[in-house]
Amino acid sequence: MLRRVPLDRLDNLDSPQAGLRSEQVETRRQQYGDNEILEKPPSGWLDLIRDTLKDPMLWFLLGTSGLFMVVGEWIDAVILLIALIPFLGMDFYLHRRTQASTAGLSHSLAVRT
């Protein structure tokens, strides 16, 4: 994910290699908050279900299936509903893998104050 950093955050930075002095760190912490990757790492089945429900492809397939039902194409509607089974399985797997990767990376980052 690409995020733009406002240039004013680079003010008073003597050298990128030198880093910040202790008083600069405290000032920036008060101004911008802590430099955390994730405030609360997602975990558990509830977060997996919530992430899956946010997937637009799920809603596209459900909406298309409902549209097929409205026009009387029951076989096509059932096929799309059946197609949701492997889709949901894949989505659960990928979200779980992302959570595990994020948790692993958060433990391997060096913390300096």
Side-chain angles (χ1 to χ4, degrees), residues 33-78:
D34 289 334
N35 188 15
E36 295 180 5
I37 293 178
L38 292 174
E39 292 181 16
K40 177 186 169 248
S43 62
W45 289 101
L46 185 60
D47 289 325
L48 282 174
I49 292 170
R50 189 175 328 142
D51 288 342
T52 299
L53 289 176
K54 291 179 185 178
D55 195 329
M57 184 57 79
L58 169 69
W59 299 107
F60 173 76
L61 290 174
L62 283 173
T64 305
S65 179
L67 185 62
F68 278 132
M69 286 180 195
V70 168
V71 297
E73 296 291 334
W74 291 97
I75 293 175
D76 293 334
V78 170

